[in-house]
Amino acid sequence: MPIDTSSYYPEVPSPDGKTDDNFSLNKREGSLFGDDRKQSPEPSDQEPAADLSPEPTHSVPNKNNKNKDDDETPVERTITGASHILSWILVPLLMPVYGLMLAFGLSILDVAPMGMRVVFTLIVAGINVVVPMILIVLLKKMGIVDDLGLNGQKERLIPYVISIVGFLVTAWFMYSKGAPQWLSLFFAGGGIAAFVNLIINLKWKISAHAAGIAGVVALLIKIAKDGSPEPDIFFWLMLTIALAGLLGSARVWLGRHTVWQVLAGYAVGFCSVFFLTMIK
């Protein structure tokens, strides 16, 4: 599809000092990105021949006016829909909740009664999901955030700060309740990852989705190593790694991130949690 550079560049005067369309960088036929259609013949002094062709009885659709959805094949539309669903299911706000649920089911914490699991999970969800969502909605109503998905680089600053506070509060809560050290450090590592992402985001858009799920992968590796794991820990580890790959691919497919931004997110999320949870 040709790129319309209209209004991007100032008009360039012709050699005689007058503005001439033939010297315009904004002219689609002679744009910097090449001519996308045949050049019209130079006008002559002769009268143009009368156009005796009949008027069309119906409008002909312009291919250049088709939107992206019209250009997608059914398979591409299916991939796009699945990518959106995966991005919302594995949204970074839910990673602390998923991490806690996996810790309860796959580590020494599986001896905890169901009532305790539910209460702790609800508290973590309230701190890391409900409160941030309410604040993000308020930010949108105030005009500070345009997209609830936080896909813009500049509108992620305050949500990152909210996430950092949520992670640190959760880490303190787990520590105060006598949770294993590695679980408290998992949440602290999430806070560190969010802080690193915040700093990087000032200059470059990094994938928070990739960082979040990579942190969960690091948690499962820690459980497999030192958390008295259940026998099916390796199944969940492989599944989480596969989901991490699919999620990163989905973010690239949707155009939210480049491959390098996704890879950087993986590195930040994994290293922040992995090396912190290794503290004895």
Side-chain angles (χ1 to χ4, degrees):
M1 182 177 292
I3 301 177
D4 185 2
T5 58
S6 176
S7 78
Y8 282 19
Y9 304 96
E11 300 298 330
V12 180
S14 60
D16 60 1
K18 298 180 180 180
T19 300
D20 187 348
D21 287 341
N22 292 328
F23 290 85
S24 173
L25 294 178
N26 295 328
K27 186 179 178 185
R28 292 180 61 82
E29 293 86 344
S31 67
L32 294 176
F33 298 95
D35 191 355
D36 55 85
R37 55 188 176 186
K38 294 181 179 180
Q39 288 282 6
S40 302
E42 292 294 331
S44 62
D45 295 335
Q46 299 179 358
E47 289 293 329
D51 186 2
L52 302 180
S53 60
E55 292 293 329
T57 57
H58 62 280
S59 60
V60 179
N62 187 351
K63 292 175 64 177
N64 294 336
N65 292 334
K66 293 176 68 178
N67 56 38
K68 181 180 178 181
D69 292 337
D70 293 334
D71 291 336
E72 287 185 335
T73 65
V75 174
E76 291 173 334
R77 283 194 293 269
T78 300
I79 296 175
T80 299
S83 297
H84 280 297
I85 294 173
L86 193 63
S87 295
W88 281 107
I89 292 177
L90 299 177
V91 69
L93 290 178
L94 289 174
M95 290 302 124
V97 179
Y98 292 154
L100 181 61
M101 293 173 63
L102 290 170
F104 272 131
L106 299 173
S107 72
I108 193 173
L109 295 176
D110 66 342
V111 299
M114 182 58 64
M116 179 184 292
R117 298 188 190 193
V118 172
V119 171
F120 272 60
T121 303
L122 290 177
I123 292 174
V124 172
I127 296 173
N128 296 278
V129 181
V130 178
V131 172
M133 286 183 65
I134 293 174
L135 294 177
I136 291 172
V137 171
L138 291 176
L139 291 174
K140 189 176 188 304
K141 289 185 177 295
M142 295 168 60
I144 300 176
V145 169
D146 296 327
D147 180 12
L148 292 178
L150 303 177
N151 291 310
Q153 178 182 351
K154 294 182 178 180
E155 60 189 11
R156 292 186 170 195
L157 178 60
I158 298 179
Y160 267 133
V161 174
I162 296 172
S163 296
I164 293 170
V165 174
F167 273 116
L168 296 181
V169 170
T170 306
W172 172 83
F173 171 75
M174 290 295 171
Y175 175 79
S176 66
K177 296 302 180 181
Q181 181 179 348
W182 52 262
L183 184 59
S184 300
L185 292 177
F186 161 68
F187 293 106
I192 292 175
F195 178 75
V196 174
N197 282 353
L198 183 152
I199 299 301
I200 295 176
N201 189 71
L202 296 176
K203 295 295 184 180
W204 192 55
K205 185 181 176 184
I206 190 171
S207 176
H209 279 78
I213 196 166
V216 175
V217 171
L219 171 66
L220 291 177
I221 292 176
K222 174 62 179 180
I223 293 175
K225 182 177 182 295
D226 298 320
S228 300
E230 292 293 310
D232 53 352
I233 179 69
F234 295 103
F235 165 79
W236 286 99
L237 177 59
M238 293 299 104
L239 177 62
T240 306
I241 292 174
L243 288 175
L246 290 174
L247 180 61
S249 301
R251 303 305 289 169
V252 174
W253 175 269
L254 294 174
R256 299 291 189 260
H257 293 286
T258 65
V259 173
W260 286 112
Q261 290 168 348
V262 170
L263 293 177
Y266 287 148
V268 170
F270 182 85
C271 292
S272 298
V273 173
F274 180 79
F275 290 112
L276 198 62
T277 54
M278 290 300 170
I279 296 176
K280 296 296 184 179

